[in-house]
Amino acid sequence: MKTENRVTEMLGIQYPIVQAAMSWLTDAKLVAAVSNAGGMGVMGPHAGYQTRPSGPDEVGQRIRNEIHKIKSLTEKPFAINLYLPPDGQSDPYSKATFEAAVAEGVRYFVTVGSVNRAMVKEIKDNDSKWIHRELTPSPEAAKMAEQHGADILIATGYDEGGTIPQNKIGTFSIVPTIVDAVSIPVMATGGINDIRGVRAAFALGAEAVYLGTRFIASEECPAAEATKQDIVQSKGSDLIMVSSFSRSTPHKFARELEAMYRNGESTENIEKRISENGGVSKSMLHGKLDEGTITTNTAIDLITEVKSSKEIIHELMADFIKE
Ligand SMILES: Cc1cc2nc3c(=O)[nH]c(=O)nc-3n(C[C@H](O)[C@H](O)[C@H](O)COP(=O)(O)O)c2cc1C
């Protein structure tokens, strides 16, 4: 398959594969390893740290420190994840992240949320590439992002790890739907863990793949070894729903949440409990599997080994590697 396409050209990368932003689990080492291997690394929230920041000022300082580390490890392009609050609102943490990234010369942003006109104008005014991901994708939202200058869209299927789309539309359905709705390039995400998933994504019209779960089980990911082994050993059929937004492998805290969910507890209360518990920091970063949720995509049967990011990229991108 042709190596160059609109995504690789726009992002200045060798292969059409991007490592997804993941709270706590995407530090400088992982981001740089992916970028050095020819894909693009994306730094998500809490990168490189083990505790929550005291406020936006500390967020800005942390982002700058982690960007310095990335730059010491690679000269290749990388991106920063930005949460977009609803249009008309502002978020001090996002603002601090954006300002720190701009001060460090970052020119690639992967946004999550809905189109916030003030923030996307700032991204575009900064002469940056804007890659946008709606948590729950739709053709209408995709067109809106395109109209406001998005360079690339990420179409997220219900199969994904992390906060799952509320429309329950799988990757096979949402990718071609979004591809047909816009003329800018689309990346596919949700349940892509091996080369068959990559081939399927391209057959559906995607021009790149965006992978989270597969990179958790990489050597460079800061997730605890216990988390990586949990992913390697678990099956999709083991996963339990802990709220309409999250699934998990079945450990103690996740089972408690599952019971709350089954008993009709509101999503808001369950998600609040997860967040008050530190999100995935205790469970996935520190490996205390019983003390939090272990969120993964539904295709974990296909992840049977922890490998280096380079090996993962070479395996998944085999069709694009010129002999
Ligand atoms: C543990 C975990 C944490 C995540 N945190 C974030 C986040 O902070 N910001 C974000 O935009 N997406 C986040 N995501 C979603 C990923 O960016 C991506 O959409 C998803 O992992 C892709 O699906 P896959 O896991 O099937 O590859 C997270 C996903 C996981 C598994």
Side-chain angles (χ1 to χ4, degrees):
M1 222 184 289
K2 222 170 120 242
T3 309
E4 299 82 21
N5 66 20
R6 291 190 292 173
V7 172
T8 57
E9 276 163 22
M10 252 186 238
L11 304 184
I13 55 178
Q14 200 176 353
Y15 306 122
I17 183 166
V18 178
Q19 160 257 310
M22 290 181 288
S23 199
W24 300 104
L25 305 182
T26 51
D27 65 0
K29 191 174 160 197
L30 174 64
V31 170
V34 171
S35 291
N36 279 333
M40 178 176 259
V42 181
M43 187 170 106
H46 305 298
Y49 287 83
Q50 313 253 323
T51 53
R52 285 188 175 277
S54 55
D57 287 349
E58 197 182 347
V59 166
Q61 195 48 53
R62 287 180 173 196
I63 298 278
R64 293 187 74 152
N65 290 346
E66 208 59 18
I67 291 174
H68 290 169
K69 282 192 206 158
I70 298 175
K71 285 184 184 166
S72 72
L73 296 169
T74 187
E75 291 183 349
K76 298 279 170 62
F78 62 91
I80 300 289
N81 185 217
L82 263 190
Y83 164 66
L84 294 184
D87 198 28
Q89 296 181 22
S90 78
D91 178 272
Y93 289 89
S94 262
K95 193 168 179 288
T97 302
F98 181 67
E99 284 170 1
V102 168
E104 292 301 327
V106 173
R107 291 290 177 271
Y108 302 95
F109 291 92
V110 176
T111 60
V112 62
S114 45
V115 172
N116 176 304
R117 282 176 292 177
M119 281 190 78
V120 303
K121 184 173 181 306
E122 285 198 53
I123 295 173
K124 299 298 291 185
D125 287 352
N126 184 52
D127 200 19
S128 299
K129 293 292 178 211
W130 172 31
I131 304 164
H132 181 61
R133 186 171 84 82
E134 294 277 331
L135 277 176
T136 296
S138 69
E140 295 72 30
K143 284 184 182 137
M144 164 114 155
E146 182 178 41
Q147 275 162 17
H148 283 88
D151 294 290
I152 300 171
L153 287 176
I154 302 175
T156 307
Y158 187 67
D159 328 39
E160 76 155 341
T163 303
I164 48 193
Q166 292 302 286
N167 55 11
K168 296 194 169 71
I169 299 178
T171 305
F172 254 71
S173 308
I174 200 65
V175 171
T177 302
I178 301 299
V179 166
D180 286 350
V182 294
S183 53
I184 55 176
V186 172
M187 288 189 202
T189 195
I192 301 168
N193 291 339
D194 72 9
I195 192 168
R196 294 167 295 180
V198 175
R199 287 175 177 154
F202 276 79
L204 296 169
E207 291 179 54
V209 289
Y210 186 73
L211 273 71
T213 303
R214 177 58 268 204
F215 281 112
I216 301 175
S218 71
E219 285 165 10
E220 295 85 359
C221 178
E225 192 53 33
T227 304
K228 297 178 188 179
Q229 289 308 321
D230 190 49
I231 292 176
V232 165
Q233 282 155 23
S234 299
K235 304 271 173 259
S237 54
D238 297 331
L239 296 171
I240 53 176
M241 294 303 295
V242 300
S243 87
S244 64
F245 282 101
S246 325
R247 58 173 78 85
S248 177
T249 58
H251 301 285
K252 189 164 172 280
F253 181 73
R255 287 248 184 247
E256 282 168 28
L257 297 178
E258 183 196 28
M260 285 167 72
Y261 182 48
R262 279 178 192 257
N263 289 333
E265 188 63 74
S266 71
T267 300
E268 199 190 345
N269 280 348
I270 300 177
E271 289 297 322
K272 199 165 151 228
R273 180 99 204 273
I274 296 175
S275 148
E276 282 168 359
N277 194 48
V280 294
S281 65
K282 270 194 221 167
S283 49
M284 299 187 79
L285 183 64
H286 296 293
K288 295 178 179 164
L289 306 186
D290 280 331
E291 294 182 31
T293 55
I294 306 287
T295 166
T296 74
N297 68 32
T298 53
I300 45 174
D301 303 60
L302 311 178
I303 303 177
T304 55
E305 232 183 302
V306 175
K307 294 184 176 176
S308 71
S309 298
K310 189 174 174 182
E311 280 176 286
I312 294 171
I313 290 173
H314 278 225
E315 264 181 37
L316 270 68
M317 292 287 112
D319 292 340
F320 299 91
I321 294 173
K322 288 176 186 152
E323 292 306 324

